[in-house]
Structures are given as C-alpha cells and as structure tokens.
Amino acid sequence: MFESRKSGILLHPSSIPSPFGIGDFGGDAYRFIDELAVAKQTLWQILPLCPVDSGGSPYQSTSAFAGEPLFISVDLLVDEGLLTQNEVEAKKLATFHRTDYSVARELKMPLLRRAFENFRKEEYPKAYEEFLEENKGWLEDYALFMAIKAFFIEKRKEDDKDLLEFNRDTEGFLSEEKVRGYFYSACWCSFPKELRERKAETIVKWRELLTNNVQWECFLQYLFHKQWRVLKSYANENKIQIIGDAPIFVSYDSADVWANQKAFQLNGLGFPTVVAGVPPDYFSETGQLWGNPLYQWKYHEKTGYQWWTSRIRKALEDVDILRIDHFRGFESYWEIPFDAVDAREGQWVKGPGKKLFRRLEKALGELPLIAEDLGIITEEVHKLREKTGFPGMRVLQFAFGQDKNHPYLPHSFNQNTVVYTGTHDNNTTLGWYENAAEKEKDHFRRYMNVTGEAPNWDMIRLAFSSPAQLAIIPLQDVLGLGQEYRMNQPGTTEGNWSFAFDWDMWNDGCTEGLKYLSRLFGRNHG
C-alpha cells in the first residue's frame, strides 16, 4: 500500500504547547510541523479528532464525524477579526504543563461565544454556507443533538421532577446509579419519548425552539474544520502525511446512535442489549468493558453499509491515512450483556468480515487504512487483514522476554507493517524499561547488543531499522520522558489524556537523532 519507507511522530494536538490549557490548531501546531520537516519525518499520527468525553477520552465521543471545539485556535480568530488581541491575551495562562480540558473550556468557550456573536453580525460568508451544505448529512443531527443535550442539562440542574418519570419509563431495566447518570448528563435515552424516537414533527419543533444553539454548534464545527484543513494542507506542503484514528465503535450517548438507532443492537426502550469490550488481556485481568453499543450488522449490509461509507469518506477527507482501531472486531467482536459487571461475561460473535471492506473499496476506491490488529488475534483475523491488504501493527514493547521468535520482534514481521515503540495506550519506553522484568531487560539488551543506558533511542533505532514500511514513535520517546508522561492507561478513568510537552524539552539532539536514523535506514526522502 505504501510505496516507500517512512517514519514519523505520534502526538495528539491536545498535547501541543498552548497558553489555554490544551493544544490547538494555532501557531505551535505549525511549529511542530516545521520541526518534523527539519527532522526529515514524513508522518504525523494523531488520535481521533472528535469531541472528547468528560474524562478527555476521544474514544467515547458524541460524534464520529464532528471535531473537538477546544482545538480551535482563538489566536487565529483575531486574524479573522472575530476577536481582539486584548480579549485573547486576557485569557492566556502564564504556564502550561498538562492538558486540562476543564480549564480549557473555562478559558476558551467564552471567547468562542464572543466570536460567534461577532460572526452573526455580518452576512455569512459563502464558505460557511458551503460547509453547511456539504456536511448536512451528519451536521444537522449532531448540532441538534448537542443543542438538546445542553438544554436538558441546564434544565435538570434546577428542576429534576422528570427523574421519577424517566425511572418509570426504564421499567427497572437500569440501576438507580445508571438512571441518575443518564438523566443528569441528558443522555438521549432520557429525552421525552417523541424526541427520543425522533418523531418528524417533534424534530422540527425542537430545531426551531433551539435555533440559536443549533447555529452555535454549526459555527464551532465550521471553525474546527476550516482551521484543521488549512493546517493539514500545510503539513502536506511540507511532505508530511497525517495518520488519523477511527475507533471501531461509537459512544452510546452520541448523535450517531440517536440518529441511526436501527443500525445498533438496542431494545424497545432504546437501551443496548449488548455492549463492546475485550476479554482479559495484557492490560486487565477482568478484560475491558467499554460499554459501546454493538452494530446491527445485518441492517448495515441491507443498506449497503451506507453509514460506514459516509464515516470513512469523511475521515479520509480529514486525514491522509486512517488507523482503524480494534480491527479484529470486524472478524469477531467480544459481545457483553448490557447488565454485565465486567467483560468476563462476554462471548465472541462473527463480524461483517471482507464484505464491509469490499463495499467501502467499491464506493471510495483504494483505502489507505492501517489495521490495529493488537491483542488476542486469531488466524481468521490474520487472513482478513491479508485479504484487505492493510498493514498491521507491531508494538516493540510487547516483543521482549518471551518467545525468541515473538511476532513483534523485527526479524519476525514483514514490510506490510507499521511498527511502534509504543502507542498512546502504552507506557513511555523509559517507563516501560524501568518497570520491565529483568528477563525482558536482558532480552532487550542482548537483542540489540546495547547497555540499556538510553533505552528510548535504542528502541527508536530498532523501529527505524526494522523491515516495517512505516515507523511511528510517540513524542515522549523522542524527548526521553518517563512514565509520568504517558498518555493513557487502559482500564483506568483518572489522570489520562493530559500529556503535554514544552518546547524546552525538544533540543537539537532530538532533531538530529531522528534525521540521522531516518537517513541511515532509508526513511528519509526529503
């Protein structure tokens, strides 16, 4: 699929330096691209750009199509005349060490509201009208969904008399904790019945009632996509491709599920009958109970996989290459009862397999996809990936201390591979080495004939020298950061998604090291 050997960096925009509590699409993102170009890197991998959940995770989002508004650069809005320099400067933080979504919302949302009011004072530009038209397939449902949620969240803070009625409607199907959680977060399952079931006249009524808030949501998406597309074009002009990330599943409380209920396994009340997760593995002894609703694959097949085609088309407009998270779920997925305590109660169920990808190829042409095939992988999953031609993934941190021909060791994998020192779910390489068993450390040192004094650069060298066509390195490993800088720890809900770096961490040695290894191992084409 990929014509030449390439390498690059894994870094989510949220981790880019910023005085607003979160990285964005402004000047420092352009500086990051410049640094990649100087270091002769040609890939920038990101996590999903979609709106994050309350904990900052982009893997439980209100939309598989929308973008996170906090990535909008308010500095760039000064250039457009939507904000003044003084307004923006007054909100900037003196220091910025960790990504903090709550702080970012407090600082940026009032500024974005002000920009919205200024935007509405003038005639809407043609580009805005074109954006609304080109994206109405997902944007209309998303904007209304978010406006309705915001309405009920505020209403229920002051008046919760509808809680008892919602409790009765669930017919004892939910625990009291879930009832309250869904109610106060204004999950779509707690909407009034006609709205929950999307009665046509009810949708029209609420769209008119919440016109201003619907327009607000559309405005945010317009700014997000406008700024991101310009930033992506800048990367492409510098010979850097963007690798995006698409979670296989979507969040239950999302515009995707609310607007496409037949596409998911839901009961008559709108609740999932079964949910997604994975069985016990390296990360968790009890498995991972993700809680996402599972697809009604027969319905998708009947519609010609229309929703999936729209989703992948949109994703490939936003990025150049797309990593499909949990690829194995297309062959078989772990189905867990909705009321299960943990993931151990699940079972494997067959997925759509090659039929889905055949349909996507027919509609979209050659698919520049990467299959995340980590975890418990069967021969059937390997065969599916081979049939699609998508490259698989290998994580070097998983390779040591076990079988001398472990599939993640470079001498065991082929060219059609994307190799990582670690992913966003792994410890940093320094953190991994410090916590590794002596058996792993010994294997690591002997495999590369090194002392282990600089394990992060040893691992980067191993990735670059491997036969894998693409090599991706988390920025933490380039900067030599310890475990306190890891991005996510699967199976936990606290302290994740907060990694941010400072430019003081990036020195000439980082740039020269990447440049040298890229040239040495044929990954430099600049």
Side-chain angles (χ1 to χ4, degrees):
M1 180 178 293
F2 303 107
E3 296 178 354
S4 58
R5 287 165 63 80
K6 297 181 178 182
S7 60
I9 300 299
L10 168 60
L11 180 76
H12 199 43
S14 63
S15 301
I16 293 173
S18 164
F20 290 99
I22 189 171
D24 57 39
F25 299 153
D28 283 272
Y30 286 85
R31 179 179 174 182
F32 175 68
I33 291 172
D34 291 339
E35 294 289 351
L36 289 183
V38 172
K40 299 301 179 182
Q41 301 308 295
T42 53
L43 300 169
W44 175 14
Q45 181 166 334
I46 58 178
L47 306 183
L49 290 171
C50 52
V52 301
D53 69 5
S54 59
S57 171
Y59 293 93
Q60 293 285 352
S61 179
T62 51
S63 173
F65 294 80
E68 170 54 62
L70 293 178
F71 290 152
I72 297 168
S73 166
V74 291
D75 283 316
L76 294 180
L77 299 186
V78 174
D79 299 336
E80 292 189 43
L82 294 176
L83 293 171
T84 68
Q85 191 66 51
N86 288 339
E87 288 172 334
V88 171
E89 290 297 327
K91 290 289 186 178
K92 289 184 176 180
L93 296 170
T95 57
F96 172 73
H97 299 297
R98 307 289 282 181
T99 298
D100 190 320
Y101 283 88
S102 61
V103 169
R105 287 191 183 91
E106 184 179 335
L107 295 174
K108 298 186 79 168
M109 296 316 285
L111 289 173
L112 292 174
R113 278 284 181 184
R114 194 166 300 167
F116 176 54
E117 294 305 321
N118 291 331
F119 181 77
R120 298 174 70 190
K121 292 176 183 177
E122 306 293 336
E123 182 179 350
Y124 290 154
K126 183 179 179 182
Y128 177 67
E129 300 292 351
E130 290 174 347
F131 173 77
L132 296 183
E133 180 62 27
E134 292 170 2
N135 294 276
K136 65 181 181 181
W138 63 269
L139 183 58
E140 288 184 355
D141 285 322
Y142 169 76
L144 179 59
F145 175 80
M146 295 300 290
I148 294 170
K149 276 183 69 70
F151 172 84
F152 281 114
I153 286 174
E154 288 304 312
K155 182 176 182 293
R156 290 167 182 177
K157 285 179 182 177
E158 301 176 357
D159 181 5
D160 64 357
K161 66 182 181 181
D162 294 334
L163 179 58
L164 290 176
E165 184 178 345
F166 176 52
N167 198 20
R168 286 195 302 269
D169 288 346
T170 63
E171 298 177 357
F173 185 71
L174 299 177
S175 66
E176 182 179 348
E177 182 181 3
K178 280 190 174 181
V179 167
R180 298 181 69 85
Y182 283 147
F183 183 80
Y184 288 109
S185 66
C187 176
W188 68 266
C189 64
S190 71
F191 291 173
K193 187 173 186 292
E194 294 78 11
L195 191 54
R196 185 175 70 239
E197 296 178 352
R198 294 179 55 85
K199 301 295 185 184
E201 63 276 12
T202 303
I203 293 294
V204 171
K205 183 185 77 172
W206 279 87
R207 197 178 297 281
E208 292 175 353
L209 177 68
L210 300 176
T211 297
N212 289 343
N213 284 342
V214 169
Q215 291 178 351
W216 156 248
E217 297 295 342
C218 290
F219 171 73
L220 292 177
Q221 291 307 306
Y222 167 67
L223 291 184
F224 172 93
H225 286 85
K226 178 183 178 181
Q227 291 190 3
W228 171 249
R229 296 289 171 84
V230 175
L231 182 64
K232 178 183 177 296
S233 294
Y234 184 77
N236 293 162
E237 289 165 7
N238 281 274
K239 301 180 181 179
I240 294 168
Q241 291 179 293
I242 307 292
I243 302 178
D245 194 348
I248 180 175
F249 301 117
V250 298
S251 173
Y252 172 55
D253 189 18
S254 67
D256 307 298
V257 178
W258 177 62
N260 303 278
Q261 295 175 43
K262 291 182 180 179
F264 299 88
Q265 296 189 51
L266 308 177
N267 65 14
L269 296 172
F271 296 108
T273 54
V274 287
V275 294
V278 289
D281 59 9
Y282 170 88
F283 293 112
S284 173
E285 293 181 358
T286 59
Q288 297 178 46
L289 179 56
W290 296 335
N292 310 75
L294 292 170
Y295 297 105
Q296 193 68 265
W297 283 116
K298 289 184 179 179
Y299 172 85
H300 286 276
E301 184 177 7
K302 184 179 178 180
T303 62
Y305 298 102
Q306 197 172 65
W307 183 86
W308 272 97
T309 301
S310 297
R311 183 186 182 188
I312 300 301
R313 178 185 287 114
K314 168 64 167 57
L316 292 176
E317 291 171 357
D318 292 337
V319 300
D320 301 298
I321 303 165
L322 187 64
R323 169 190 181 267
I324 300 292
D325 192 44
H326 199 59
F327 178 81
R328 76 137 304 136
F330 293 108
E331 193 284 320
S332 293
Y333 53 89
W334 192 245
E335 178 186 275
I336 307 166
F338 179 60
D339 59 355
V341 176
D342 60 48
R344 289 177 292 185
E345 297 181 44
Q347 63 177 346
W348 291 111
V349 178
K350 285 292 181 182
K354 185 69 169 64
K355 288 184 291 186
L356 168 62
F357 298 104
R358 189 178 295 119
R359 185 69 184 189
L360 291 174
E361 287 172 351
K362 185 176 180 180
L364 306 175
E366 184 180 8
L367 301 172
L369 305 183
I370 295 170
E372 187 273 286
D373 55 349
L374 307 174
I376 302 173
I377 302 301
T378 64
E379 187 60 31
E380 289 81 5
V381 179
H382 287 304
K383 287 180 179 178
L384 175 60
R385 187 187 63 75
E386 289 169 1
K387 286 178 182 177
T388 63
F390 305 149
M393 289 175 52
R394 296 294 179 268
V395 177
L396 295 178
Q397 286 185 20
F398 295 149
F400 299 98
Q402 303 172 59
D403 183 359
K404 297 302 184 289
N405 289 312
H406 192 281
Y408 289 6
L409 288 168
H411 70 261
S412 297
F413 55 76
N414 60 29
Q415 274 188 304
N416 197 31
T417 299
V418 185
V419 66
Y420 296 77
T421 52
T423 72
H424 66 277
D425 281 335
N426 290 93
N427 202 337
T428 67
T429 292
L430 278 186
W432 166 80
Y433 187 78
E434 290 171 359
N435 290 281
E438 188 54 43
K439 181 180 180 182
E440 292 176 273
K441 292 180 181 179
D442 178 65
H443 188 192
F444 174 86
R445 292 189 295 261
R446 288 188 295 108
Y447 191 82
M448 287 178 282
N449 194 29
V450 296
T451 62
E453 293 178 7
N456 56 316
W457 280 103
D458 293 335
M459 197 81 98
I460 294 171
R461 183 186 182 95
L462 183 61
F464 278 38
S465 67
S466 78
Q469 202 76 339
L470 306 185
I472 306 294
I473 314 299
L475 183 64
Q476 294 96 313
D477 289 351
V478 177
L479 302 181
L481 301 178
Q483 63 183 0
E484 65 272 24
Y485 291 97
R486 73 179 293 170
M487 188 63 160
N488 180 49
Q489 187 163 348
T492 66
T493 57
E494 301 294 328
N496 295 318
W497 317 110
S498 61
F499 164 65
F501 80 97
D502 188 277
W503 287 114
D504 290 341
M505 299 175 178
W506 191 314
N507 56 46
D508 290 343
C510 300
T511 302
E512 293 304 314
L514 290 171
K515 187 189 301 185
Y516 171 76
L517 292 176
S518 295
R519 286 174 174 165
L520 185 63
F521 296 113
R523 298 185 185 276
N524 172 22
H525 305 282

